[in-house]
Every structure is written in structure tokens, then in C-alpha cells.
Amino acid sequence: MAANYADDTTIDDLLSGDRLSCLCQCGNQTWLAWRNYPQRVQFTPLRDLRSKMVCKRCGARSPTLVIEGMRGVGSTLFVEWVYPPGADVYALKRKSPPA
């Protein structure tokens, strides 16, 4: 993982071209339309916002937050940052959301 993002990363810290997604334990993945949030939320560390996030599919709280970005030439996304640290993003992505 790249060192671009620290533990106190905010939504506003996202580099151009990087994307933030939320991965629930049920396998549901969503991407935030973060520019629609109030400015005070954009400057709140993601680790603090995480506890307020709720999965619309299963109702679970505190999803795994993932920032992905492209490195070099090509269109492959790489995981740049994960919160909580050490979460298995790839196992969560392999899960299929419940019907």
C-alpha cells in the first residue's frame, strides 16, 4: 500500500483519480458521492465517520473503507489505503451480496 494516506485521512484528502468505497461484511460495496456531504463531514477523519455508516442492504455498521487508485500506465486499480488496517479487502470483494 502506498504511504499517501495516513490514519487520519479525510474525504477531502483523496487524490484526483482515487476512489473511496465502503465494503460491508455481507459483500455489498458502495461508492460515496462525497462532494454531496457538508464541508464539516469532508474534513472529519474517515475512521470517525465509519461508525456512523450503515449498510443499506443488511443494516450492519462500520464498513471496511477502501481507497483505490491507479499506478502508472493501465487501468488496473490498486488498493492504496484500508481502514481498519489489515482488513482482507479481497475476501470481502469475493463475497456476493444477498439477493
Side-chain angles (χ1 to χ4, degrees):
M1 279 186 253
N4 294 337
Y5 300 105
D7 198 31
D8 61 349
T9 295
T10 65
I11 293 173
D12 191 61
D13 293 335
L14 288 176
L15 298 175
S16 178
D18 287 359
R19 69 179 189 180
L20 172 65
S21 64
C22 300
L23 284 168
C24 182
Q25 294 297 320
C26 73
N28 190 34
Q29 183 175 19
T30 57
W31 292 269
L32 300 174
W34 60 271
R35 291 270 186 206
N36 294 333
Y37 292 112
Q39 193 172 25
R40 68 176 172 75
V41 173
Q42 292 182 27
F43 293 115
T44 303
L46 289 170
R47 66 172 184 256
D48 298 338
L49 289 177
R50 184 175 167 258
S51 63
K52 297 174 183 154
M53 295 177 176
V54 179
C55 178
K56 289 187 177 184
R57 187 170 299 244
C58 72
R61 290 189 170 273
S62 301
T64 299
L65 301 176
V66 181
I67 297 176
E68 297 174 304
M70 294 183 200
R71 287 188 233 144
V73 179
S75 60
T76 303
L77 286 169
F78 292 92
V79 174
E80 299 284 347
W81 182 84
V82 176
Y83 197 87
D88 190 356
V89 175
Y90 301 105
L92 290 173
K93 284 186 175 187
R94 282 191 298 270
K95 283 187 177 181
S96 58

